[in-house]
Amino acid sequence: MSKDKQSPIEGIKIKSHGLRGTLKESIELDNHTGNVRSDDEALVKFHGMYVQDDRDRREERANKKLDRLYSFMIRLRIPGGIIDADKWLKIHEVSEEYGTGVLKITTRQTIQLHGVLKHELRPTLKAFDQAKLDSIAACGDVNRNVIVSSHPLVSPIHAEIHAYGDKLSKHLLPKTKAYYEIFVDGDKIYERETEKDHLYEDRYLPRKFKIAVAIPPTNDVDVFANDLGLIAIVENEELKGFNIAVGGGLSSTFGNPNTYSRLATEIGFVDSEEKVLKVAYEVLTIQRDFGNRGDRKLARLKYTVDKLSVDGFKEELEKRIGFKLEQPKPYTFTERSDIFEWQEVSKDVWYYTLFVENGVVQPNQKEFLYELAKLKLSNFIFTANQNLLLGEIATEDKVKVEELMKKFSIHKDLSELRKNSMACVALPTCPLALAEAQRYLPELVTKIEPLLLKHQLIEEDIVIRMTGCPNGCGRSYVAEIGFVGTSSGHYNLMLGGDRYGTRLNKIYKEKVNEIEILNELDKIFEVYTKERNLNETFGDFTNRKLFSYN
């Protein structure tokens, strides 16, 4: 078991009385600030919230000797990303009443509200609760939102596999009822005996934990970027089970060579739901017991796997689950992108994917989705690429949806590069951001598109992603073109990742500005056009041409 000296947050968790801390006092009594108390900043994450402030206004407020403009980001827990029309209506209404009004789709198939003030937390979460939505365990040192390949065309038994998202989420939820006691029910006190938690105990995990379920041939969830990856094995339209992959994670820290990105390693196969749930549970218990609790920068499962070795981790897992893992089964990934056109999944059942650039729902899109939800014609599925899939639309209703699209100017001609772009939130709300991402990538793509036209590459399906810091929330390390913010206006240019998320990219140029980025890409596009092999993707070409010495 881990003997690391414990970080301060470990003590906060243990003393928190089931993640309660002094959150009630912070919310009810501390009217002098929009923040919560210091220890409560760590605890509020477990309830699906982050304390943020508007970094664009820090200097102005400091000059006026004012407190920072604190607010909260609330992230919902939506396993697999599926909600019905009624839930979308509630999300819309809550976002109009509280926060900034802007809805942001995350890379983990859920939605975030930003700018919710402290005194608005309870009414916001109560409103969500009425619609059977919550933010429990959407952040914090627990298993977070489980993501699953989203498009039904991937597999004829998509619904059966997709259901594992909810099963895993429920199986790995914390037992504490503090969320309801503090934010929903007010003074209602739950019996502490019902909160006994054999999985998380009173320590919870050393850091966050992420699970993804991929359904080959698509890897839209970037399954190997997760702590635990489950790869569905389907034969003759029958689910045979899942390959198990452990130890993925992309975050690193500049100047700390002990931190690194890592893709998950496949260690075996299981053939039943009971075994899948058992494996997931015990992978978490290993991380709970062996994970680094002294240094949070080294606390993800990837470091635990490497500390124990892959074979050692597998041996410990098999000891805990009580059976041997079978050998991984063969499969192939051939796609990762969303499909931005009407698709008939079965007779008279249609789906359409709405492109939402970097997850920011634009005002016209928000109006369109609200009007669509009122018609109760479809469900809503968040994709792991930050888009929104409108599903289960009957043929006779398709024309109504198209009329709404026309009314709200939804259709757009988009380059393949833009369709394959992704960015984290970054500035002005993320406290870790060193550079812009979500606000800047659309502008940069607009400047890259003429280069693609110049080199006759505008139809190329290149994956491009940007993060405002090295933590990798926009999964930039598994992009064909990745940007990692180093300081204002400067990024590490990452190249050589493959198209389907099975190879990490590498640093090509460090700390480059926009002019340097465009110059470098112009030169590389020219060489790619002249020297690529038949059907060679951009990522495979740059890996071969620029990093062949490795």
Side-chain angles (χ1 to χ4, degrees), residues 338-360:
D338 292 334
I339 304 169
F340 298 101
E341 57 192 44
W342 283 103
Q343 297 282 316
E344 189 174 21
V345 176
S346 57
K347 184 173 173 54
D348 293 330
V349 178
W350 294 81
Y351 283 72
Y352 180 87
T353 304
L354 177 69
F355 175 69
V356 183
E357 191 161 19
N358 301 327
V360 182

Side-chain angles (χ1 to χ4, degrees), residues 421-436:
S421 63
M422 182 187 293
C424 68
V425 172
L427 296 168
T429 53
C430 178
L432 303 177
L434 303 171
E436 296 279 0

Side-chain angles (χ1 to χ4, degrees), residues 46-64:
F46 290 81
H47 305 298
M49 290 159 264
Y50 277 90
V51 180
Q52 300 181 331
D53 75 283
D54 188 339
R55 291 176 60 180
D56 288 346
R57 298 187 62 184
R58 274 187 186 177
E59 185 177 353
E60 166 208 340
R61 293 181 68 83
N63 289 337
K64 293 178 180 178

Side-chain angles (χ1 to χ4, degrees), residues 149 154-155 214-219 230-234 330-334:
S149 291
V154 170
S155 169
I215 309 176
T218 189
N219 187 27
L230 303 176
I231 302 153
I233 304 300
V234 179
Y331 62 91
T332 305
F333 286 134
T334 60

Side-chain angles (χ1 to χ4, degrees), residues 441-455:
L441 184 57
E443 177 186 335
L444 182 61
V445 168
T446 297
K447 294 177 180 179
I448 294 173
E449 286 168 333
L451 302 179
L452 294 170
L453 279 168
K454 172 184 173 183
H455 298 291

Side-chain angles (χ1 to χ4, degrees), residues 277-492:
L277 296 178
K278 183 69 172 171
V279 164
Y281 188 96
E282 296 301 348
V283 167
L284 263 73
T285 67
I286 295 174
Q287 171 64 349
R288 178 198 68 202
D289 295 341
F290 288 91
N292 188 325
R293 292 182 181 269
D295 187 345
R296 289 180 66 81
K297 296 187 188 316
L298 302 175
R300 292 290 296 278
L301 182 73
K302 60 185 175 181
Y303 301 112
T304 307
V305 171
D306 287 343
K307 180 172 69 174
L308 296 176
S309 80
V310 172
D311 288 341
F313 187 94
K314 182 179 178 182
E315 182 182 345
E316 180 67 25
L317 178 60
E318 289 178 335
K319 183 171 72 175
R320 295 188 182 211
I321 60 180
F323 57 86
K324 293 286 186 183
L325 299 173
E326 298 179 40
Q327 285 297 307
K329 305 293 185 186
Y331 62 91
T332 305
F333 286 134
T334 60
E335 60 191 52
R336 184 162 48 153
S337 304
D338 292 334
I339 304 169
F340 298 101
E341 57 192 44
W342 283 103
Q343 297 282 316
E344 189 174 21
V345 176
S346 57
K347 184 173 173 54
D348 293 330
V349 178
W350 294 81
Y351 283 72
Y352 180 87
T353 304
L354 177 69
F355 175 69
V356 183
E357 191 161 19
N358 301 327
V360 182
V361 180
Q362 297 300 318
N364 67 313
Q365 293 177 324
K366 192 176 180 185
E367 289 183 68
F368 159 70
L369 293 167
Y370 181 63
E371 294 300 322
L372 177 62
K374 288 197 294 186
L375 295 176
K376 310 289 178 72
L377 300 180
S378 76
N379 58 20
F380 299 74
I381 306 170
F382 303 113
T383 80
N385 290 314
Q386 296 181 296
N387 298 307
L388 185 56
L389 199 159
L390 310 174
E392 298 185 18
I393 298 167
T395 299
E396 61 267 26
D397 294 328
K398 193 164 165 265
V399 66
K400 298 176 188 175
V401 179
E402 289 174 330
E403 286 171 355
L404 278 178
M405 287 179 174
K406 186 175 181 180
K407 178 180 177 181
F408 292 102
S409 303
I410 295 302
H411 288 297
K412 272 186 181 178
D413 289 326
L414 303 164
S415 70
E416 296 305 310
L417 186 74
R418 194 173 298 275
K419 290 177 185 175
N420 285 293
S421 63
M422 182 187 293
C424 68
V425 172
L427 296 168
T429 53
C430 178
L432 303 177
L434 303 171
E436 296 279 0
Q438 192 177 79
R439 296 194 296 193
Y440 173 55
L441 184 57
E443 177 186 335
L444 182 61
V445 168
T446 297
K447 294 177 180 179
I448 294 173
E449 286 168 333
L451 302 179
L452 294 170
L453 279 168
K454 172 184 173 183
H455 298 291
Q456 299 181 322
L457 296 172
I458 196 65
E459 299 299 323
E460 286 290 314
D461 200 27
I462 299 170
V463 177
I464 183 170
R465 296 174 178 176
M466 177 178 281
T467 55
C469 80
N471 285 299
C473 295
R475 303 204 291 272
S476 51
Y477 297 105
V478 281
E480 291 179 278
I481 302 175
F483 300 100
V484 178
T486 59
S487 64
S488 180
H490 292 81
Y491 301 84
N492 286 345

Side-chain angles (χ1 to χ4, degrees), residues 30-196:
D30 296 352
N31 298 323
H32 61 282
T33 177
N35 199 355
V36 292
R37 300 177 189 182
S38 178
D39 286 1
D40 294 334
E41 281 194 58
L43 298 178
V44 77
K45 296 175 186 178
F46 290 81
H47 305 298
M49 290 159 264
Y50 277 90
V51 180
Q52 300 181 331
D53 75 283
D54 188 339
R55 291 176 60 180
D56 288 346
R57 298 187 62 184
R58 274 187 186 177
E59 185 177 353
E60 166 208 340
R61 293 181 68 83
N63 289 337
K64 293 178 180 178
K65 296 187 171 21
L66 294 172
D67 199 12
R68 288 182 178 179
L69 189 58
Y70 289 111
S71 63
F72 292 77
M73 179 273 282
I74 298 178
R75 179 185 297 155
L76 294 177
R77 180 178 64 91
I78 307 174
I82 294 184
I83 58 174
D84 59 24
D86 287 332
K87 285 185 170 63
W88 181 267
L89 288 173
K90 180 57 70 174
I91 289 171
H92 176 98
E93 291 162 4
V94 170
S95 72
E96 289 292 294
E97 188 167 358
Y98 306 110
T100 62
V102 177
L103 294 173
K104 294 186 178 180
I105 300 172
T106 79
T107 59
R108 298 199 65 78
Q109 290 185 308
T110 184
I111 203 135
Q112 294 180 177
L113 276 70
H114 290 260
V116 179
L117 301 179
K118 187 168 71 172
H119 71 271
E120 297 174 332
L121 288 175
R122 279 181 176 158
T124 301
L125 295 173
K126 282 183 179 181
F128 281 137
D129 184 66
Q130 290 167 5
K132 295 183 169 52
L133 290 164
D134 66 67
S135 61
I136 300 169
C139 315
D141 300 344
V142 287
N143 175 58
R144 299 195 179 180
N145 202 52
V146 181
I147 61 175
V148 189
S149 291
S150 55
H151 205 291
L153 266 182
V154 170
S155 169
I157 56 168
H158 178 270
E160 177 187 347
I161 302 170
H162 201 277
Y164 275 82
D166 194 54
K167 292 172 184 176
L168 286 159
S169 181
K170 288 177 179 174
H171 190 53
L172 304 174
L173 270 180
K175 300 297 185 189
T176 176
K177 300 297 189 294
Y179 174 90
Y180 293 102
E181 189 176 298
I182 296 166
F183 299 105
V184 179
D185 297 333
D187 293 331
K188 183 175 179 180
I189 305 296
Y190 289 84
E191 293 292 333
R192 296 304 300 276
E193 187 58 32
T194 65
E195 295 186 341
K196 193 165 186 178

